[in-house]
Amino acid sequence: INRLIGDLLELSRTPKYQRRPMSLQPLLLDILEFFEPELQSSRIHCVTSLPPDLPPILADADQLTKAFQNLFRNAIQAMPLGGHLTVSILPGPHGQGGEIRIQDDGEGIEPEALNKILNPFFTTKEKGSGLGLPIVKSIIQAHQGSLEISSAPGTGTTVSITLPALALEKAS
């Protein structure tokens, strides 16, 4: 109940973002390290393509951590028999910003559900609240980014997050 209330409050309030220059590569590696025991016990092989030399972006690391943790948790849950998780960063124009892709080869999402999964309280999980993806969407939008989810039953899911090119000069 506490988690559900916390999620409801997070979705209904606009959090105060503490934007600072940060690199996406170490953030994603830290989150994946956190999930490593669960990935191993679930027989999920993780592959990363995270260039270390991307310029920093202006972002709230705590909020992005919440978003990526939710997406990795969803990917793990979509592969109950094991599988592959691929996490990659593609640089944005002129080497700034970029696209983060999270791909799994799990169960996939039915087309009818895919059109609704970003709506609050919609869930395909037996014990889901339907608030995780709407919270992810609000965090990404607060960073002037976009979120796209593509999937088909039996083929897995790809989540693409595009974050804009944010110059470091704006951080000063």
Side-chain angles (χ1 to χ4, degrees):
I1 291 174
N2 286 337
R3 182 173 169 219
L4 179 61
I5 291 170
D7 286 348
L8 281 169
L9 289 173
E10 186 169 346
L11 191 61
S12 65
R13 291 186 204 153
T14 303
K16 293 181 181 178
Y17 284 81
Q18 302 295 319
R19 290 183 175 90
R20 293 188 172 87
M22 58 161 284
S23 176
L24 288 172
Q25 188 250 20
L27 177 85
L28 291 169
L29 288 175
D30 286 349
I31 298 168
L32 287 170
E33 184 178 333
F34 172 80
F35 279 103
E36 185 61 31
E38 192 171 350
L39 291 166
Q40 285 183 0
S41 68
S42 300
R43 297 180 317 276
I44 297 172
H45 177 68
C46 185
V47 176
T48 61
S49 176
L50 306 173
D53 56 350
L54 291 175
I57 64 167
L58 191 61
D60 184 311
D62 291 338
Q63 292 296 320
L64 287 182
T65 296
K66 284 180 195 177
F68 290 122
Q69 284 177 337
N70 190 297
L71 293 171
F72 293 154
R73 191 172 297 109
N74 285 350
I76 291 168
Q77 291 171 354
M79 298 182 281
L81 302 176
H84 295 87
L85 174 65
T86 303
V87 181
S88 55
I89 298 175
L90 305 167
H94 311 294
Q96 293 184 338
E99 178 185 346
I100 301 99
R101 260 193 214 148
I102 301 166
Q103 298 172 284
D104 68 62
D105 59 2
E107 299 170 340
I109 304 168
E110 295 288 335
E112 309 82 49
L114 190 59
N115 293 328
K116 299 175 186 175
I117 59 172
L118 295 175
N119 295 340
F121 306 111
F122 179 82
T123 185
T124 59
K125 298 175 185 173
E126 190 174 307
K127 293 184 179 184
S129 67
L131 294 174
L133 287 175
I135 289 171
V136 169
K137 179 182 173 185
S138 82
I139 291 170
I140 300 305
Q141 287 178 336
H143 284 84
Q144 290 82 45
S146 64
L147 172 71
E148 183 180 313
I149 301 173
S150 59
S151 185
T155 63
T157 301
T158 299
V159 177
S160 298
I161 296 170
T162 303
L163 294 174
L166 297 171
L168 276 179
E169 292 77 33
K170 293 181 184 177
S172 304

